[in-house]
Amino acid sequence: MSDRRLGSRLKEVRTAAGLTQADLAERAGVSRKTVNTVENGVFIPSTILALGLARALGKTVEELFWLKD
């Protein structure tokens, strides 16, 4: 399982919704830097953060994140 990585469509979905990182951060109750680090794969979101980001975008977690082998 250590060779798995997290795939993310967060930036794609955010920009399609016409939102900046700051906009999404405000909606999700996190900092812009948190959104930036998740989008860039620097930080793997906790379950709570992933759920919050998905809710803020009107998506499911599975629409934003998946496991890559």
Side-chain angles (χ1 to χ4, degrees), residues 13-36:
V13 172
R14 174 184 59 76
T15 56
L19 299 173
T20 66
Q21 288 181 345
D23 294 333
L24 177 56
E26 184 176 330
R27 287 184 178 195
V30 298
S31 70
R32 186 205 58 81
K33 183 169 179 143
T34 296
V35 173
N36 179 274

Side-chain angles (χ1 to χ4, degrees), residues 27-48:
R27 287 184 178 195
V30 298
S31 70
R32 186 205 58 81
K33 183 169 179 143
T34 296
V35 173
N36 179 274
T37 57
V38 172
E39 284 186 354
N40 290 308
V42 174
F43 179 72
I44 297 173
S46 68
T47 303
I48 292 172

